[in-house]
Amino acid sequence: MSRPTPSCRPARSRPRSGIYHLAAAGETSWHGYAQHVIGQARQLRPEVELKVQEIAPIPTSQYPTPARRPHNSRLDCSKLQAAFDLRLPPWQDGVRRLLTEIL
């Protein structure tokens, strides 16, 4: 007996070398990400008392780092999507999966 395996997508004729960006779908700020993580944690485990009460947004200029931060650091994944017909799920799905595993 054998298990059926999915067939590989046919290779495209164009070259696939180069630099590709890969990131979950969607976009957010660090503030939005932190708010989502805490909100999801509270939904998944309401009985756990989290110390955080509020997450205040701050501009990048108020958070000093050794390197200058770009104003827009979103990755353009369109080259990878076109070359490999690959779409990643929204970043929120990954947060929920991780919190489900660790809480």
Side-chain angles (χ1 to χ4, degrees), residues 32-93:
Y33 182 81
Q35 284 188 306
H36 184 76
V37 169
I38 297 303
Q40 284 294 297
R42 286 188 171 130
Q43 276 188 343
L44 291 169
R45 295 287 304 273
E47 74 279 7
V48 174
E49 187 176 332
L50 300 175
K51 291 181 182 181
V52 64
Q53 296 300 313
E54 179 185 351
I55 300 170
I58 63 167
T60 301
S61 61
Q62 290 183 356
Y63 189 77
T65 60
R68 286 184 29 171
R69 303 291 303 165
H71 292 289
N72 179 355
S73 59
R74 293 174 290 181
L75 296 177
D76 179 1
C77 301
S78 60
K79 179 179 173 185
L80 179 120
Q81 291 170 349
F84 298 98
D85 193 26
L86 177 65
R87 306 277 187 281
L88 290 184
W91 61 268
Q92 296 92 331
D93 292 359

